[in-house]
């Protein structure tokens, strides 16, 4: 307990000792994972949309929404410097004047962050200087999700423009496109197979007037190299908001607007589903 508004983002550090959360109550909070004790409270002027630990767990970043007359910012705090936490002053704050950040992750070696914007742009920001290192726009609408590959050399984006795209983490070079006929809310890369899973569905406001078949709420599997769809999994009765692979690549989980989290186990070699939870 602690937040007084919707919690938009959660991240754990590498050894799962600490958890970072961002909320619509205009705060980012650091917690002890074992006891649930709040360790730090960082107040902001608007809702915290994304947050994350760097690879070593020493630096945190979070982005705030553009709302109530305040612009979007990305803030960086060094947890090894208690004065930054006590004064609520980050060691670096990057303004995002044009469009707000809707998804962000740390890049390879913690040298940068990769941010997706409401406009469909992707930016790579230096974690040392704050400058924009690379800027690309391959999506035409909002980027809802960014997830890295296990080795952090690639990442996949999910967008409202009905596509998910694969990029190089260092250069942001566009590699592959996975096309659907509905907004994509989340996409994940298998840790050890050439699989990409996509989750989405129509806009939430239209769900009550649409059947599950028309809404297309299945999780959809694509081959990473040839960009072709090879499987669909039904189950949810509303749009899928998030997907994630198990580290062994033999199961995945999905969370939906229908209030369910579903875990599917399957044989990746033959794509035969064994059971779901």
């Amino acid at each position: 307990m602690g937040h007084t508004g919707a919690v938009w983002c959660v991240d754990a550090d590498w050894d799962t000792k600490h958890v970072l959360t961002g909320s619509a109550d205009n705060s980012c909070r650091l917690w002890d994972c074992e006891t649930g004790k709040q360790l730090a409270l960082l107040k902001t002027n608007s809702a915290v949309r994304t947050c994350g630990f760097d690879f070593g767990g020493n630096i945190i970043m979070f982005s705030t929404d553009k709302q109530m007359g305040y612009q979007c910012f990305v803030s960086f705090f060094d947890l090894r410097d208690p004065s930054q936490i006590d004064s609520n002053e980050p060691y670096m704050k990057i303004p995002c004047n044009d469009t707000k950040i809707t998804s962000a992750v740390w890049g390879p070696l913690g040298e940068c962050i990769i941010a997706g914007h409401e406009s469909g742009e992707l930016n790579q920001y230096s974690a040392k200087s704050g400058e924009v290192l690379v800027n690309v726009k391959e999506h035409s609408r909002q980027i809802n999700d960014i997830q890295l590959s296990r080795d952090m050399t690639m990442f996949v984006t999910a967008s409202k423009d009905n596509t998910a795209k694969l990029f190089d983490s260092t250069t942001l070079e566009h590699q592959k496109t996975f096309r659907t006929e509905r907004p994509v809310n989340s996409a994940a890369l298998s840790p050890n197979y050439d699989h990409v899973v996509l989750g989405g569905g129509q806009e939430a406001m239209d769900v009550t007037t649409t059947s599950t078949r028309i809404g297309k709420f299945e999780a959809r599997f694509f081959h990473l190299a040839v960009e072709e769809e090879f499987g669909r999994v039904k189950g949810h009765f509303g749009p899928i908001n998030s997907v994630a692979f198990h580290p062994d690549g033999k199961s995945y989980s999905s969370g939906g607007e229908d209030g369910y989290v579903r875990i599917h186990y399957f044989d990746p070699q033959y794509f035969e589903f064994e059971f779901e939870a």
Side-chain angles (χ1 to χ4, degrees):
M1 300 297 294
H3 284 297
T4 56
V7 178
W8 290 122
C9 52
V10 180
D11 190 39
D13 60 7
W14 69 276
D15 58 0
T16 328
K17 287 185 176 180
H18 302 116
V19 175
L20 190 67
T21 57
S23 171
D25 65 4
N26 298 358
S27 74
C28 185
R29 299 173 192 242
L30 182 69
W31 312 84
D32 183 289
C33 192
E34 184 177 1
T35 65
K37 180 182 178 181
Q38 180 176 299
L39 303 177
L41 167 62
L42 302 169
K43 295 183 179 180
T44 61
N45 292 320
S46 57
V48 177
R49 181 64 53 175
T50 67
C51 65
F53 288 95
D54 74 339
F55 191 74
N58 294 317
I59 310 293
I60 62 169
M61 68 84 185
F62 60 83
S63 70
T64 54
D65 280 355
K66 184 179 181 180
Q67 60 182 193
M68 299 183 296
Y70 295 100
Q71 67 182 109
C72 171
F73 284 98
V74 184
S75 299
F76 294 81
F77 285 82
D78 190 330
L79 298 179
R80 295 166 296 187
D81 183 359
S83 65
Q84 293 182 25
I85 307 299
D86 295 340
S87 63
N88 204 59
E89 286 294 331
Y91 75 82
M92 185 168 63
K93 197 171 184 179
I94 306 171
C96 306
N97 299 318
D98 298 327
T99 61
K100 76 174 183 180
I101 292 173
T102 49
S103 185
V105 295
W106 281 91
L109 304 177
E111 294 178 347
C112 64
I113 67 163
I114 300 164
H117 293 254
E118 197 173 33
S119 63
E121 286 186 3
L122 274 171
N123 282 330
Q124 190 184 80
Y125 295 99
S126 169
K128 295 181 179 179
S129 66
E131 66 178 315
V132 177
L133 302 175
V134 188
N135 170 265
V136 297
K137 187 174 182 183
E138 295 290 343
H139 286 290
S140 59
R141 298 187 65 191
Q142 175 176 308
I143 296 172
N144 292 320
D145 187 27
I146 300 175
Q147 293 196 37
L148 289 160
S149 61
R150 172 179 271 181
D151 61 6
M152 301 182 79
T153 60
M154 303 180 295
F155 66 91
V156 64
T157 57
S159 172
K160 280 188 175 182
D161 66 6
N162 299 0
T163 68
K165 295 177 184 281
L166 186 73
F167 294 87
D168 181 278
S169 297
T170 303
T171 64
L172 299 197
E173 180 184 356
H174 177 219
Q175 308 278 353
K176 304 287 182 180
T177 299
F178 312 100
R179 303 182 187 278
T180 72
E181 65 287 336
R182 61 186 177 173
V184 184
N185 294 332
S186 184
L189 297 165
S190 171
N192 44 13
Y193 296 94
D194 290 330
H195 295 170
V196 185
V197 63
L198 275 58
Q202 66 185 119
E203 298 288 349
M205 65 182 70
D206 301 325
V207 170
T208 55
T209 59
T210 309
S211 72
T212 57
R213 177 174 296 183
I214 297 174
K216 297 180 172 60
F217 304 133
E218 306 101 333
R220 302 173 66 165
F221 281 77
F222 286 79
H223 192 281
L224 182 68
V226 298
E227 304 170 82
E228 291 182 358
E229 183 180 356
F230 65 86
R232 296 190 185 189
V233 183
K234 295 182 179 180
H236 286 285
F237 296 95
I240 295 173
N241 288 333
S242 58
V243 292
F245 272 103
H246 189 279
D248 66 8
K250 294 182 179 180
S251 64
Y252 80 95
S253 61
S254 58
E257 295 265 351
D258 58 2
Y260 286 93
V261 174
R262 297 178 182 273
I263 304 171
H264 293 267
Y265 300 84
F266 61 96
D267 186 330
Q269 185 175 358
Y270 303 105
F271 203 72
E272 294 177 351
F273 279 81
E274 297 168 2
F275 61 94
E276 72 170 14

